Amino acid sequence: QVQLVESGGGLVQPGGSLTLSCAASGFPFSLYAMNWYRQAPGKERELVAYISSADSSTYYADSVKGRFTISRDNAKSMVYLQMNSLKPEDTAVYYCKARGFSIEFWGQGTQVTVSS
């Protein structure tokens, strides 16, 4: 079965760092673009970053550009989100998403809390 399992969330102080991982299985991982989204309480889910399937080109939301880095390891079917210089505004549930041409899969999410 298709699975996307996020891990690495937790509590971190402002200015700190955290790395999220997403383990994928059950589909041809290397052919899918991978995305990180986040959703804070009372807010719409927003795209944070994605990495393409073809050439691993990347995109970042303006709010995280220069602070977050998305990467993938096709041999391990893993995608990562390294988050540096974290701010309280980054507090949200972070979701991993795989997207093919006409299909997409979502993970269950992992909580990231940035607070003193």
Side-chain angles (χ1 to χ4, degrees), residues 10 18 24 26-27 30 33 69 72-73 80-81 91 108:
L18 208 59
F27 66 97
S30 65
T69 303
R72 67 190 296 160
D73 185 337
Y80 307 94
L81 185 68
T91 296
Q108 83 289 345

Side-chain angles (χ1 to χ4, degrees), residues 22-46:
C22 176
S25 61
F27 66 97
F29 177 83
S30 65
L31 302 181
Y32 281 66
M34 298 300 300
N35 303 252
W36 286 99
Y37 286 77
R38 68 185 181 188
Q39 188 168 25
K43 303 292 186 180
E44 296 291 321
R45 187 171 296 187
E46 64 175 343

Side-chain angles (χ1 to χ4, degrees), residues 12-97:
V12 64
Q13 292 185 328
S17 297
L18 208 59
T19 299
L20 306 182
S21 299
C22 176
S25 61
F27 66 97
F29 177 83
S30 65
L31 302 181
Y32 281 66
M34 298 300 300
N35 303 252
W36 286 99
Y37 286 77
R38 68 185 181 188
Q39 188 168 25
K43 303 292 186 180
E44 296 291 321
R45 187 171 296 187
E46 64 175 343
L47 176 65
V48 176
Y50 71 71
I51 184 165
S52 72
S53 61
D55 59 359
S56 293
S57 61
T58 58
Y59 164 86
Y60 299 94
D62 287 343
S63 59
V64 308
K65 194 172 298 181
R67 300 189 297 121
F68 290 13
T69 303
I70 188 171
S71 61
R72 67 190 296 160
D73 185 337
N74 287 338
K76 296 180 181 293
S77 295
M78 296 283 290
V79 62
Y80 307 94
L81 185 68
Q82 182 176 326
M83 305 183 293
N84 299 322
S85 302
L86 283 161
K87 306 173 180 179
E89 306 93 271
D90 296 317
T91 296
V93 177
Y94 284 71
Y95 298 90
C96 177
K97 185 184 81 174

